[in-house]
Amino acid sequence: MMQTVTKSACESCEHSNASGLKKLGINIDNSDFVVALAGNPNTGKSTVFNALTGLRQHTGNWPGKTVTRAEGGYSFGDKKYKLVDLPGTYSLLSTSQDEEVARNFILFGKPDVTVIVVDASRLERNLNLVLQILEITDKAVLCLNLMDEAKRMEIEIDDRTLARDLGIPVIPTSARSKEGIQQLISTIHQVATGEIICKPHRIKNVPKQINNAIEKLCTEIEKEYPNIPNSRWIALRLLDGDERIIEAVKTGEFITE
Amino acid sequence: MKNNKILNISNDLRWQIGDGFHDKLTEGIYSDAAQIAQNSVFKKGQTKRFRFDRSLDKIVTSKIWGFPIMILILSVVLWLTIIGANYPSGLLSELLLDTIQPWLKETSLSIGFPIWLAGFLFDGVYLALAWVIAVMLPPMAIFFPLFTLLEDFGYLPRAAFNLDNLFKKAGAHGKQALTMSMGFGCNAAGVVATRIIDSPRERLIAIITNNFSLCNGRWPTQILIASIFIGALAPQSLSGALSTLSVISIALLGVFFTFVVSYFLSKTVLKGEVSSFTLELPPYRPPIFWKTIYTSLIDRTLIVLWRACVFAAPAGAVIWLISNVTFGDTTIAHWLIENLNGFGFILGLNGVILVAYIVAIPANEIVIPTILMLTVMSVSISGVGEGNGVMFELDSVSATGEILKAGGWTLLTAVNLMVFSLLHNPCSTTIYTIYKETKSIKWTVIASVLPLIMGFVVCFVVAQVWRILL
């Protein structure tokens, strides 16, 4: 596909990581890592996707633009990355079809890194989804997108504090003007290769009785499947009576996939 | 068996916790989110930008101004498309049809192609392609970017907000407003977009009624017929406005049928509660103009055009064949037209139009060229066209009008063609998409046949009333 990136002074500098970036468009064979792009509707996931892959997936300013998952690729350093753009969702707790695409992919597709794209000007609302995703996976990067818009609305965000609270790297970006995309790429690389180890936030404000139940079920699940990374999430969903997850436990889908 | 142990324990625990689990968990997530946000977000009071968004929203979603603004925007987009497409369309048809086509045919004959092969290739396949490009590319290259600019600006969710109440009254989902808007571009895309609707019942309603959004394959038909027959009723200076107005009326008639059919479905076969949902009104964002133009040209215009070409080429071949292969002492096309003329008359249409719609099931875009070709053939107008089964574009709109009038067309034929172009079966791509999305033959058949029956009924009624009154 076409590459029409305007190179800033930093990007063309030999010390920059940008030299290692190659946009692969739809060429996604033999990828080393799978990266999922998740986030609320209308936070610019497709724009981030296009910036990384060089593809021109159409973006629109309305929630629900992407209803299927789109895939593309890029390579960085000597690794090839497959990028999956998921439909935007507000939550992983409900059951509409587009939300299920996102949830099932994060849970069963086992991406190596999940990039959570959030709207910096509406951070608090977006964090609900972030916290749910962090229950599922511990390899995640927060892409604090639409920083330009937040700035216009005179909202400031202390990304270091945010990163410490969430326990994952936080990268401020303005994907429309490609700001921050370089840092995002190298951070994804570091998380994928294990250079950065995440210690994701777990939901704290739940009543003791419920917490005990979660922990009890968790231990049970881990006893049966010692290698499962997201036993806590499965426990949460089982306690909520999620049919799809009950089915998955019955068939043992977690271990086979 | 060990898996069931996990499930058993979870069931026991669910009994112990009782009902409130989901709510308490959600509460927990919200309070965690609030805490984290408090630590790292600093707002410097209300801002101008937010106030601008809010005051603009107050106008475009207001009870009084919401609908007039919507119709005004639609009118401006259509008017720009009608006015702007005229000139480039003429240029393209001059180049592709008047210059290249004769050259291709002569050259092929001079290097020894048999006449039937040259006819088949250049009077059939090539002409169909050239016509589709000449008539479709200019309006699409104007309509799609304009539509995309509106989309990027953030207007669509506001339109959905305005229409929500009407959809609710019709027993359908408010997000159907979004899928309906997508249908104005392409019905197949509109059907795929219904995935944003959670409830299967409301999603089916949205799928079945999407065909009532005039798609881009039908806009050119509407525009051309309106310019020839309806624009001509007004003096020169007003004819553009009058044609725009008539096309908008047809589009609004489609919206009207969307509501009527949604209402009918939700009261009969698809009964159920209206589900509530939250629709986020995103901030207005100034579109990145050139980038939007570029992506909408590549993503939409060229892809849709390519699809049209893929269908037009074989259709051109079919048209050439049915008008040149004889069957007894008449051609197949002639025989079909003769037999459908009676039925066509009852509907205020004619045999030619019905045959054209059969040939054009793969793609609505080729209806007009097929009609012209068949008309010329069936009335044998001398001096136009180059032989049986030759699709052509005439130099001017008025010349096209002359041909159609010679073929017995009246204002009634034109009006009913516009109605029938709105109300008939979806194109084959859309039918296939409906099947893929619903995975049900029953609903696919209903979605395909229902609009066709409605088209017959409405055309019939219009024709009878017209003939009695005028």
Side-chain angles (χ1 to χ4, degrees):
Chain A
M1 291 299 280
M2 268 151 284
Q3 297 184 28
T4 45
V5 192
T6 42
K7 296 224 166 163
S8 68
C10 281
E11 281 177 49
S12 52
C13 165
E14 60 175 316
H15 298 294
S16 159
N17 289 323
S19 48
L21 172 69
K22 228 167 93 191
K23 296 173 182 182
L24 297 175
I26 50 167
N27 174 15
I28 45 175
D29 301 336
N30 316 317
S31 54
D32 298 296
F33 297 113
V34 176
V35 179
L37 272 184
N40 279 27
N42 217 29
T43 52
K45 285 178 298 301
S46 298
T47 315
V48 173
F49 178 84
N50 289 347
L52 288 173
T53 58
L55 287 171
R56 292 171 194 278
Q57 166 99 328
H58 179 71
T59 54
N61 186 10
W62 55 282
K65 175 77 214 184
T66 311
V67 284
T68 48
R69 54 178 224 232
E71 301 187 353
Y74 67 91
S75 78
F76 179 75
D78 53 353
K79 299 288 185 220
K80 279 176 106 177
Y81 290 82
K82 177 166 124 180
L83 196 62
V84 182
D85 186 14
L86 298 172
T89 78
Y90 291 105
S91 148
L92 300 174
L93 301 171
S94 75
T95 48
S96 81
Q97 212 179 352
D98 47 346
E99 294 193 354
E100 224 177 274
V101 171
R103 187 190 72 177
N104 288 349
F105 188 80
I106 301 173
L107 194 55
F108 303 121
K110 291 194 183 147
D112 295 290
V113 182
T114 303
V115 176
I116 313 166
V117 184
V118 297
D119 179 346
S121 58
R122 291 165 176 69
L123 183 62
E124 181 174 338
R125 184 144 40 101
N126 282 222
L127 278 176
N128 295 315
L129 178 72
V130 175
L131 294 177
Q132 291 174 37
I133 293 176
L134 291 185
E135 287 289 332
I136 300 184
T137 173
D138 47 10
K139 283 183 141 187
V141 176
L142 190 78
C143 171
L144 198 54
N145 197 25
L146 302 173
M147 282 302 282
D148 43 353
E149 221 160 81
K151 221 165 276 168
R152 261 205 308 273
M153 295 173 75
E154 296 180 37
I155 293 172
E156 272 173 36
I157 293 172
D158 179 354
D159 53 299
R160 290 189 174 195
T161 306
L162 186 61
R164 205 173 49 229
D165 282 354
L166 291 174
I168 56 170
V170 172
I171 313 296
T173 62
S174 305
R176 290 226 292 186
S177 51
K178 304 220 159 57
E179 265 170 72
I181 294 296
Q182 287 316 316
Q183 291 93 306
L184 182 63
I185 288 167
S186 51
T187 311
I188 294 172
H189 181 78
Q190 286 168 314
V191 173
T193 53
E195 244 176 90
I196 296 179
I197 308 277
C198 303
K199 291 191 187 63
H201 173 98
R202 295 288 143 110
I203 298 161
K204 293 189 178 81
N205 283 313
V206 279
K208 200 154 185 109
Q209 183 203 10
I210 287 182
N211 216 21
N212 288 343
I214 296 171
E215 264 161 32
K216 193 171 168 196
L217 193 54
C218 244
T219 350
E220 205 56 45
I221 296 168
E222 273 161 20
K223 232 184 339 190
E224 303 293 353
Y225 308 110
N227 294 326
I228 242 176
N230 39 33
S231 55
R232 218 176 106 95
W233 173 257
I234 292 164
L236 285 176
R237 297 313 298 147
L238 285 179
L239 291 175
D240 208 359
D242 185 324
E243 293 293 335
R244 177 73 178 85
I245 304 295
I246 292 175
E247 195 54 38
V249 169
K250 272 185 193 156
T251 57
E253 204 171 330
F254 309 98
I255 12 172
T256 48
E257 254 186 70
Chain B
M1 276 301 104
K2 60 179 182 181
N3 298 344
N4 286 342
K5 192 176 159 201
I6 297 177
L7 293 181
N8 288 340
I9 293 174
S10 114
N11 278 341
D12 289 347
L13 289 170
R14 280 175 74 190
W15 277 109
Q16 287 170 27
I17 302 167
D19 265 349
F21 179 79
H22 190 89
D23 293 344
K24 279 177 188 143
L25 180 64
T26 314
E27 260 169 48
I29 295 171
Y30 272 77
S31 55
D32 272 27
Q35 238 170 42
I36 295 173
Q38 211 176 20
N39 286 341
S40 49
V41 179
F42 308 98
K43 276 187 198 166
K44 290 187 188 161
Q46 293 281 348
T47 63
K48 275 186 216 148
R49 182 155 173 84
F50 182 65
R51 264 182 262 142
F52 167 77
D53 273 20
R54 207 172 43 183
S55 33
L56 191 54
D57 273 344
K58 269 198 183 138
I59 301 169
V60 299
T61 61
S62 87
K63 282 200 173 124
I64 303 166
W65 295 110
F67 280 98
I69 288 175
M70 243 162 52
I71 293 171
L72 184 73
I73 290 179
L74 182 67
S75 314
V76 169
V77 168
L78 277 181
W79 185 75
L80 286 175
T81 309
I82 291 178
I83 299 294
N86 226 342
Y87 182 68
S89 262
L91 272 187
L92 275 174
S93 68
E94 202 171 294
L95 179 72
L96 295 173
L97 299 154
D98 299 346
T99 316
I100 297 183
Q101 198 271 342
W103 178 83
L104 276 174
K105 203 173 168 193
E106 277 162 33
T107 316
S108 66
L109 288 175
S110 72
I111 60 170
F113 273 44
I115 287 178
W116 64 267
L117 184 62
F120 179 81
L121 284 180
F122 303 117
D123 289 344
V125 177
Y126 171 82
L127 267 183
L129 283 175
W131 207 93
V132 162
I133 292 172
V135 84
M136 282 191 59
L137 184 58
M140 278 189 343
I142 299 171
F143 184 79
F144 276 160
L146 287 177
F147 191 81
T148 315
L149 284 175
L150 276 181
E151 198 185 327
D152 283 4
F153 178 59
Y155 184 70
L156 280 194
R158 272 81 188 179
F161 183 85
N162 286 337
L163 291 167
D164 176 47
N165 206 13
L166 285 176
F167 277 109
K168 207 163 79 187
K169 278 186 188 143
H173 199 285
K175 280 188 193 167
Q176 197 177 324
L178 289 171
T179 65
M180 187 178 82
S181 310
M182 294 307 286
F184 281 129
C186 168
N187 293 142
V191 169
V192 175
T194 60
R195 290 183 193 176
I196 57 173
I197 298 174
D198 310 348
S199 126
R201 178 188 80 86
E202 289 160 338
R203 195 173 163 217
L204 264 176
I205 294 179
I207 288 176
I208 293 170
T209 54
N210 198 271
N211 189 41
F212 299 124
S213 296
L214 270 185
C215 69
N216 84 86
R218 293 181 275 169
W219 287 113
T221 309
Q222 298 286 347
I223 292 170
L224 186 71
I225 297 296
S227 315
I228 293 174
F229 286 93
I230 295 172
L233 297 175
Q236 189 80 40
S237 56
L238 291 174
S239 66
L242 188 64
S243 347
T244 308
L245 196 70
S246 63
V247 176
I248 288 166
S249 315
I250 293 286
L252 292 181
L253 187 69
V255 175
F256 171 75
F257 275 116
T258 303
F259 287 119
V260 171
V261 173
S262 299
Y263 181 80
F264 167 77
L265 288 171
S266 70
K267 290 288 173 265
T268 56
V269 277
L270 289 170
K271 256 186 228 162
E273 292 294 307
V274 177
S275 54
S276 61
F277 69 103
T278 44
L279 179 73
E280 192 175 1
L281 294 183
Y284 290 102
R285 293 182 179 134
I288 305 178
F289 189 78
W290 290 112
K291 208 182 136 198
T292 305
I293 301 284
Y294 176 84
T295 40
S296 72
L297 278 179
I298 297 296
D299 278 5
R300 297 190 164 175
T301 312
L302 289 187
I303 284 174
V304 175
L305 187 69
W306 169 244
R307 186 189 85 86
C309 289
V310 166
F311 283 111
V318 168
I319 293 167
W320 189 85
L321 284 174
I322 63 169
S323 2
N324 282 275
V325 173
T326 49
F327 181 66
D329 52 357
T330 70
T331 61
I332 297 176
H334 217 118
W335 182 81
L336 278 172
I337 291 169
E338 294 273 288
N339 278 290
L340 286 171
N341 254 337
F343 185 52
F345 179 78
I346 297 174
L347 299 178
L349 299 167
N350 57 40
V352 168
I353 295 174
L354 294 178
V355 174
Y357 269 98
I358 296 171
V359 175
I361 285 175
N364 283 296
E365 295 84 348
I366 55 176
V367 163
I368 286 290
T370 313
I371 287 176
L372 284 178
M373 179 277 288
L374 292 171
T375 305
V376 170
M377 190 202 68
S378 67
V379 297
S380 315
I381 300 166
S382 56
V384 250
E386 289 158 60
N388 284 351
V390 181
M391 286 215 274
F392 56 90
E393 157 76 313
L394 293 137
D395 301 343
S396 68
V397 166
S398 62
T400 312
E402 291 308 314
I403 298 279
L404 293 176
K405 281 169 195 155
W409 284 51
T410 60
L411 189 57
L412 170 66
T413 326
V415 170
N416 269 3
L417 175 61
M418 286 172 79
V419 171
F420 193 68
S421 151
L422 172 73
L423 299 171
H424 70 89
N425 52 289
C427 71
S428 55
T429 312
T430 306
I431 295 177
Y432 178 64
T433 310
I434 293 174
Y435 177 71
K436 268 200 316 199
E437 292 296 319
T438 60
K439 297 204 177 63
S440 144
I441 292 178
K442 180 181 132 198
W443 290 114
T444 311
V445 170
I446 291 177
S448 311
V449 175
L450 185 73
L452 188 62
I453 294 172
M454 289 176 61
F456 286 153
V457 171
V458 175
C459 284
F460 175 78
V461 171
V462 170
Q464 302 319 309
V465 171
W466 188 289
R467 280 170 189 147
I468 290 167
L469 292 183
L470 299 173

mmCIF file of all heavy atoms in Angstrom, chain A residues 150-157, chain B residues 41-51:
data_model
loop_
_atom_site.group_PDB
_atom_site.id
_atom_site.type_symbol
_atom_site.label_atom_id
_atom_site.label_comp_id
_atom_site.label_asym_id
_atom_site.label_seq_id
_atom_site.Cartn_x
_atom_site.Cartn_y
_atom_site.Cartn_z
ATOM 1 N N ALA A 150 -8.196 17.024 23.636
ATOM 2 C CA ALA A 150 -8.171 17.267 25.081
ATOM 3 C C ALA A 150 -7.509 18.613 25.363
ATOM 4 O O ALA A 150 -7.961 19.387 26.206
ATOM 5 C CB ALA A 150 -7.431 16.139 25.787
ATOM 6 N N LYS A 151 -6.433 18.889 24.627
ATOM 7 C CA LYS A 151 -5.717 20.140 24.829
ATOM 8 C C LYS A 151 -6.624 21.324 24.511
ATOM 9 O O LYS A 151 -6.669 22.301 25.236
ATOM 10 C CB LYS A 151 -4.476 20.165 23.915
ATOM 11 C CG LYS A 151 -3.253 20.742 24.599
ATOM 12 C CD LYS A 151 -1.974 20.426 23.819
ATOM 13 C CE LYS A 151 -1.415 19.050 24.143
ATOM 14 N NZ LYS A 151 -0.362 18.628 23.192
ATOM 15 N N ARG A 152 -7.372 21.183 23.408
ATOM 16 C CA ARG A 152 -8.295 22.257 23.040
ATOM 17 C C ARG A 152 -9.354 22.476 24.107
ATOM 18 O O ARG A 152 -9.820 23.575 24.309
ATOM 19 C CB ARG A 152 -8.985 21.924 21.715
ATOM 20 C CG ARG A 152 -8.361 22.608 20.518
ATOM 21 C CD ARG A 152 -9.376 22.741 19.406
ATOM 22 N NE ARG A 152 -10.014 21.471 19.097
ATOM 23 C CZ ARG A 152 -9.522 20.588 18.238
ATOM 24 N NH1 ARG A 152 -8.404 20.825 17.609
ATOM 25 N NH2 ARG A 152 -10.152 19.459 17.998
ATOM 26 N N MET A 153 -9.726 21.396 24.781
ATOM 27 C CA MET A 153 -10.727 21.525 25.835
ATOM 28 C C MET A 153 -10.084 21.847 27.172
ATOM 29 O O MET A 153 -10.744 21.805 28.209
ATOM 30 C CB MET A 153 -11.537 20.228 25.938
ATOM 31 C CG MET A 153 -12.345 19.960 24.685
ATOM 32 S SD MET A 153 -13.141 18.352 24.702
ATOM 33 C CE MET A 153 -14.475 18.652 25.827
ATOM 34 N N GLU A 154 -8.785 22.159 27.117
ATOM 35 C CA GLU A 154 -8.017 22.525 28.308
ATOM 36 C C GLU A 154 -8.077 21.453 29.391
ATOM 37 O O GLU A 154 -8.284 21.731 30.560
ATOM 38 C CB GLU A 154 -8.492 23.881 28.844
ATOM 39 C CG GLU A 154 -8.211 25.002 27.842
ATOM 40 C CD GLU A 154 -8.678 26.351 28.365
ATOM 41 O OE1 GLU A 154 -8.539 26.575 29.571
ATOM 42 O OE2 GLU A 154 -9.160 27.155 27.560
ATOM 43 N N ILE A 155 -7.911 20.220 28.946
ATOM 44 C CA ILE A 155 -7.839 19.125 29.905
ATOM 45 C C ILE A 155 -6.388 18.647 29.928
ATOM 46 O O ILE A 155 -5.793 18.428 28.869
ATOM 47 C CB ILE A 155 -8.755 17.964 29.475
ATOM 48 C CG1 ILE A 155 -10.210 18.394 29.556
ATOM 49 C CG2 ILE A 155 -8.495 16.726 30.317
ATOM 50 C CD1 ILE A 155 -11.179 17.406 28.974
ATOM 51 N N GLU A 156 -5.829 18.555 31.125
ATOM 52 C CA GLU A 156 -4.461 18.047 31.212
ATOM 53 C C GLU A 156 -4.468 16.678 31.857
ATOM 54 O O GLU A 156 -5.237 16.420 32.781
ATOM 55 C CB GLU A 156 -3.607 18.996 32.043
ATOM 56 C CG GLU A 156 -2.985 20.080 31.197
ATOM 57 C CD GLU A 156 -2.293 21.107 32.062
ATOM 58 O OE1 GLU A 156 -1.717 20.700 33.105
ATOM 59 O OE2 GLU A 156 -2.334 22.296 31.703
ATOM 60 N N ILE A 157 -3.606 15.807 31.356
ATOM 61 C CA ILE A 157 -3.563 14.464 31.926
ATOM 62 C C ILE A 157 -2.141 14.121 32.330
ATOM 63 O O ILE A 157 -1.201 14.282 31.545
ATOM 64 C CB ILE A 157 -4.091 13.431 30.925
ATOM 65 C CG1 ILE A 157 -5.588 13.689 30.702
ATOM 66 C CG2 ILE A 157 -3.896 12.015 31.441
ATOM 67 C CD1 ILE A 157 -6.192 12.895 29.614
ATOM 68 N N VAL B 41 -6.376 13.483 35.969
ATOM 69 C CA VAL B 41 -6.985 14.420 35.029
ATOM 70 C C VAL B 41 -7.212 15.774 35.678
ATOM 71 O O VAL B 41 -7.735 15.847 36.790
ATOM 72 C CB VAL B 41 -8.336 13.868 34.508
ATOM 73 C CG1 VAL B 41 -8.975 14.865 33.554
ATOM 74 C CG2 VAL B 41 -8.129 12.541 33.817
ATOM 75 N N PHE B 42 -6.793 16.823 34.994
ATOM 76 C CA PHE B 42 -7.016 18.170 35.505
ATOM 77 C C PHE B 42 -7.784 18.982 34.479
ATOM 78 O O PHE B 42 -7.339 19.146 33.355
ATOM 79 C CB PHE B 42 -5.676 18.860 35.794
ATOM 80 C CG PHE B 42 -4.797 18.033 36.662
ATOM 81 C CD1 PHE B 42 -3.786 17.253 36.110
ATOM 82 C CD2 PHE B 42 -5.001 17.988 38.041
ATOM 83 C CE1 PHE B 42 -2.984 16.460 36.911
ATOM 84 C CE2 PHE B 42 -4.198 17.194 38.847
ATOM 85 C CZ PHE B 42 -3.188 16.424 38.283
ATOM 86 N N LYS B 43 -8.955 19.461 34.873
ATOM 87 C CA LYS B 43 -9.753 20.264 33.946
ATOM 88 C C LYS B 43 -9.674 21.719 34.366
ATOM 89 O O LYS B 43 -9.756 22.029 35.540
ATOM 90 C CB LYS B 43 -11.210 19.826 33.991
ATOM 91 C CG LYS B 43 -11.491 18.639 33.100
ATOM 92 C CD LYS B 43 -12.978 18.361 33.065
ATOM 93 C CE LYS B 43 -13.188 16.940 32.555
ATOM 94 N NZ LYS B 43 -14.522 16.441 32.771
ATOM 95 N N LYS B 44 -9.525 22.586 33.378
ATOM 96 C CA LYS B 44 -9.525 24.012 33.699
ATOM 97 C C LYS B 44 -10.896 24.588 33.399
ATOM 98 O O LYS B 44 -11.056 25.384 32.481
ATOM 99 C CB LYS B 44 -8.471 24.733 32.853
ATOM 100 C CG LYS B 44 -7.052 24.403 33.250
ATOM 101 C CD LYS B 44 -6.108 25.292 32.491
ATOM 102 C CE LYS B 44 -4.672 24.874 32.707
ATOM 103 N NZ LYS B 44 -3.811 25.429 31.646
ATOM 104 N N GLY B 45 -11.882 24.145 34.105
ATOM 105 C CA GLY B 45 -13.226 24.707 33.941
ATOM 106 C C GLY B 45 -13.857 24.384 32.600
ATOM 107 O O GLY B 45 -13.290 23.691 31.770
ATOM 108 N N GLN B 46 -15.061 24.899 32.400
ATOM 109 C CA GLN B 46 -15.773 24.699 31.138
ATOM 110 C C GLN B 46 -15.033 25.425 30.027
ATOM 111 O O GLN B 46 -14.456 26.462 30.231
ATOM 112 C CB GLN B 46 -17.194 25.257 31.250
ATOM 113 C CG GLN B 46 -18.063 24.504 32.207
ATOM 114 C CD GLN B 46 -18.595 23.226 31.593
ATOM 115 O OE1 GLN B 46 -18.482 23.042 30.393
ATOM 116 N NE2 GLN B 46 -19.150 22.356 32.420
ATOM 117 N N THR B 47 -15.074 24.878 28.847
ATOM 118 C CA THR B 47 -14.328 25.514 27.775
ATOM 119 C C THR B 47 -15.254 25.992 26.677
ATOM 120 O O THR B 47 -16.376 25.554 26.547
ATOM 121 C CB THR B 47 -13.312 24.540 27.161
ATOM 122 O OG1 THR B 47 -14.056 23.470 26.599
ATOM 123 C CG2 THR B 47 -12.355 24.042 28.202
ATOM 124 N N LYS B 48 -14.682 26.874 25.859
ATOM 125 C CA LYS B 48 -15.435 27.420 24.741
ATOM 126 C C LYS B 48 -15.866 26.326 23.791
ATOM 127 O O LYS B 48 -16.968 26.311 23.303
ATOM 128 C CB LYS B 48 -14.535 28.388 23.967
ATOM 129 C CG LYS B 48 -14.513 29.779 24.524
ATOM 130 C CD LYS B 48 -13.711 30.639 23.577
ATOM 131 C CE LYS B 48 -12.930 31.663 24.374
ATOM 132 N NZ LYS B 48 -11.666 32.030 23.774
ATOM 133 N N ARG B 49 -14.918 25.410 23.546
ATOM 134 C CA ARG B 49 -15.173 24.410 22.534
ATOM 135 C C ARG B 49 -16.417 23.576 22.880
ATOM 136 O O ARG B 49 -17.262 23.310 22.044
ATOM 137 C CB ARG B 49 -13.967 23.504 22.404
ATOM 138 C CG ARG B 49 -14.186 22.507 21.341
ATOM 139 C CD ARG B 49 -12.955 21.975 20.718
ATOM 140 N NE ARG B 49 -13.416 20.922 19.845
ATOM 141 C CZ ARG B 49 -13.858 21.123 18.633
ATOM 142 N NH1 ARG B 49 -13.843 22.315 18.108
ATOM 143 N NH2 ARG B 49 -14.307 20.127 17.901
ATOM 144 N N PHE B 50 -16.481 23.199 24.159
ATOM 145 C CA PHE B 50 -17.607 22.399 24.590
ATOM 146 C C PHE B 50 -18.894 23.184 24.407
ATOM 147 O O PHE B 50 -19.901 22.675 23.954
ATOM 148 C CB PHE B 50 -17.412 21.979 26.042
ATOM 149 C CG PHE B 50 -18.523 21.113 26.542
ATOM 150 C CD1 PHE B 50 -18.713 19.855 25.994
ATOM 151 C CD2 PHE B 50 -19.375 21.556 27.525
ATOM 152 C CE1 PHE B 50 -19.741 19.048 26.434
ATOM 153 C CE2 PHE B 50 -20.408 20.760 27.971
ATOM 154 C CZ PHE B 50 -20.586 19.504 27.423
ATOM 155 N N ARG B 51 -18.816 24.478 24.745
ATOM 156 C CA ARG B 51 -20.007 25.308 24.607
ATOM 157 C C ARG B 51 -20.427 25.428 23.155
ATOM 158 O O ARG B 51 -21.601 25.447 22.832
ATOM 159 C CB ARG B 51 -19.757 26.691 25.214
ATOM 160 C CG ARG B 51 -20.280 26.768 26.646
ATOM 161 C CD ARG B 51 -20.066 28.128 27.213
ATOM 162 N NE ARG B 51 -18.856 28.139 28.018
ATOM 163 C CZ ARG B 51 -18.006 29.157 28.045
ATOM 164 N NH1 ARG B 51 -18.203 30.216 27.303
ATOM 165 N NH2 ARG B 51 -16.952 29.101 28.826
#
